[in-house]
Amino acid sequence: MDTLLQLLHPLFTPAFELLGSPITWTEILAFVLAVWMVICNMRVNALAWPLALGSSLLYFLLFWDGKLYGEASLQLVFASLALWGWWQWLRGRDEQGHKLRVRLMSPRSRWLALLAVLAAWPLLGLLLDRQTDSPLPYWDAFPTVASLLGQYLLGRKYQENWGVWVLVNAVSVALFAYKGYWLTVLLYAVFIPMSVAGWRAWQRQLAPARA
């Protein structure tokens, strides 16, 4: 991995400084792709998924270089899920065999999702604590686990994905501020109101489906 980072060294050249921390071209490119991706998600536009793939790979490099191994590994999972989500939005079907549309989870499914996150969070935190030199293993673990849930719900067009992203983005703001990734802090801070807007946009799509 160190060899790859050395080969990609030009991408880690600082473009400018923000609050005393260098902002690299990697972070800038990832920022632009991520904002574009969320806008496409709000509009239920499948272009979001290739944008997610590119952004995830760039953030993988950034986070691995910063020793946030949980977040870095998550980006590789995101890259894989981007391919899966792309297929879901283009070809996926719901339980009744209909083409996927914006919908709500059942109450039982919501409780199961919550319990899964609460169970997986400390386990991943313990793994990162014992097996890596992550400076914040449990803070690193929570958005990692919750993001997997959010990505699954997004891929299956469940409206609740936006509520998960609000929580993930709020925690991530604190995590990335600790590491000095200030452009990414700004990105995730912007993601919070964008996630609220996404919820409302998908809510409007639910109304015709219920009629």
Side-chain angles (χ1 to χ4, degrees):
M1 190 62 209
D2 290 339
T3 302
L4 177 61
L5 290 175
Q6 289 176 2
L7 290 174
L8 297 175
H9 178 71
L11 283 175
F12 290 90
T13 303
F16 59 91
E17 285 196 1
L18 183 62
L19 299 178
S21 294
I23 305 300
T24 65
W25 288 107
T26 299
E27 192 171 2
I28 292 172
L29 289 172
F31 177 98
V32 172
L33 292 180
V35 171
W36 190 5
M37 171 197 71
V38 174
I39 292 172
C40 288
N41 281 333
M42 292 168 62
R43 297 176 177 177
V44 201
N45 185 331
L47 178 60
W49 295 105
L51 293 171
L53 177 62
S55 177
S56 294
L57 293 176
L58 289 170
Y59 271 119
F60 164 74
L61 296 173
L62 183 70
F63 295 151
W64 190 275
D65 186 59
K67 301 185 184 301
L68 290 177
Y69 301 115
E71 286 289 331
S73 300
L74 177 64
Q75 300 306 312
L76 291 182
V77 176
F78 274 175
S80 300
L81 286 176
L83 297 174
W84 170 80
W86 198 359
W87 184 88
Q88 288 291 322
W89 279 26
L90 293 177
R91 303 292 182 185
R93 301 286 172 175
D94 63 17
E95 291 75 10
Q96 288 74 42
H98 302 133
K99 186 174 181 180
L100 284 182
R101 56 177 175 76
V102 174
R103 55 204 174 126
L104 291 170
M105 301 172 69
S106 68
R108 180 175 179 272
S109 295
R110 290 173 187 165
W111 280 110
L112 288 175
L114 176 61
L115 290 174
V117 170
L118 293 178
W121 172 21
L123 293 177
L124 180 57
L126 182 63
L127 177 66
L128 293 175
D129 187 31
R130 294 188 175 182
Q131 300 297 325
T132 75
D133 58 350
S134 174
L136 297 168
Y138 290 93
W139 277 104
D140 193 2
F142 177 77
T144 300
V145 170
S147 292
L148 290 175
L149 172 62
Q151 197 75 345
Y152 170 78
L153 297 179
L154 176 64
R156 295 295 292 170
K157 291 191 177 180
Y158 285 113
Q159 186 191 15
E160 288 85 353
N161 86 88
W162 294 108
V164 174
W165 291 125
V166 168
L167 181 59
V168 167
N169 294 333
V171 174
S172 297
V173 164
L175 180 64
F176 299 142
Y178 175 83
K179 293 299 296 183
Y181 295 141
W182 295 113
L183 189 60
T184 303
V185 168
L186 174 62
L187 173 66
Y188 278 74
V190 169
F191 275 172
I192 295 173
M194 289 184 76
S195 295
V196 174
W199 176 281
R200 292 175 176 172
W202 282 32
Q203 183 70 31
R204 289 191 292 271
Q205 295 211 23
L206 276 175
R210 289 171 174 171

